[in-house]
């Protein structure tokens, strides 16, 4: 396995330790794992981003921490683009994600996985709108 991908998996696994999905039972790390699995092995960079896509938003890890630990600037820039800022308008967030091609590819798969994870009606509407926006 790609050395940088192994590093991303380790960082994400440690950062999300003790967190759970919406059901309160499934370990949260299963989500980035599933998103990363949507990319073929030869897309190791996109898989790194997928593993790390929620680390900045949902844990105490910072972009500087990722860089210090050896994650490439290209990956960190995409992860930052995928990180929704508190009080940021969702459409502004999606527009920012869409500007970064790698972040856009990961976000599309993130939304697809979220849609398959027993979402509420409001979440379905939100994610359907996000997919339409990101795919056009």
């Amino acid at each position: 396995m790609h050395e940088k991908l192994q590093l991303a998996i380790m960082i994400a696994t440690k950062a999300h330790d003790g967190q759970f999905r919406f059901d309160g039972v499934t370990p949260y790390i299963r989500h980035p794992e599933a998103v990363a699995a949507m990319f073929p092995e030869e897309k190791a960079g996109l898989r790194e981003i997928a593993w790390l896509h929620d680390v900045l938003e949902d844990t105490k890890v910072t972009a500087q921490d990722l860089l210090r630990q050896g994650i490439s600037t290209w990956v960190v820039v995409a992860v930052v683009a995928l990180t929704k800022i508190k009080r940021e308008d969702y459409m502004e967030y999606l527009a920012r994600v869409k500007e970064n091609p790698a972040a856009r590819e990961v976000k599309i798969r993130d939304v697809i996985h979220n849609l398959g994870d027993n979402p509420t009606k409001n979440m379905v509407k939100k994610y359907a709108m996000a997919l339409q926006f990101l795919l056009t």
Side-chain angles (χ1 to χ4, degrees):
M1 184 185 295
H2 186 265
E3 183 180 316
K4 294 287 188 174
L5 179 57
Q6 287 179 323
L7 177 61
I9 293 168
M10 183 206 63
I11 292 168
T13 301
K14 183 177 177 183
H16 290 297
D17 186 45
Q19 295 179 338
F20 297 91
R21 290 293 282 165
F22 309 117
D23 63 9
V25 176
T26 306
Y28 192 84
I29 197 64
R30 296 296 166 247
H31 171 63
E33 177 182 49
V35 175
M38 292 182 195
F39 292 101
E41 286 187 29
E42 62 270 12
K43 299 285 187 175
L46 291 174
R47 293 178 81 184
E48 285 176 55
I49 296 164
W51 274 100
L52 297 169
H53 81 273
D54 282 332
V55 167
L56 301 182
E57 187 173 327
D58 296 337
T59 77
K60 293 181 180 185
V61 174
T62 68
Q64 287 302 319
D65 293 335
L66 295 177
L67 291 168
R68 265 194 301 275
Q69 291 182 65
I71 300 297
S72 75
T73 301
W74 178 79
V75 169
V76 173
V77 167
V79 172
V80 167
L82 286 159
T83 303
K84 187 172 180 303
I85 301 164
K86 288 182 183 175
R87 296 188 199 94
E88 181 178 29
D89 176 78
Y90 191 63
M91 287 308 297
E92 288 176 17
Y93 161 69
L94 289 176
R96 190 164 48 81
V97 169
K98 193 173 181 177
E99 288 176 7
N100 182 303
R104 178 179 172 266
E105 290 301 315
V106 171
K107 186 64 180 176
I108 289 166
R109 285 152 183 87
D110 173 41
V111 169
I112 289 168
H113 184 256
N114 284 334
L115 280 168
D117 200 16
N118 199 23
T120 65
K121 286 183 183 182
N122 284 340
M123 292 168 84
V124 170
K125 288 179 188 176
K126 173 183 169 180
Y127 294 141
M129 179 273 305
L131 275 178
Q132 183 178 13
F133 178 78
L134 292 169
L135 290 169
T136 58

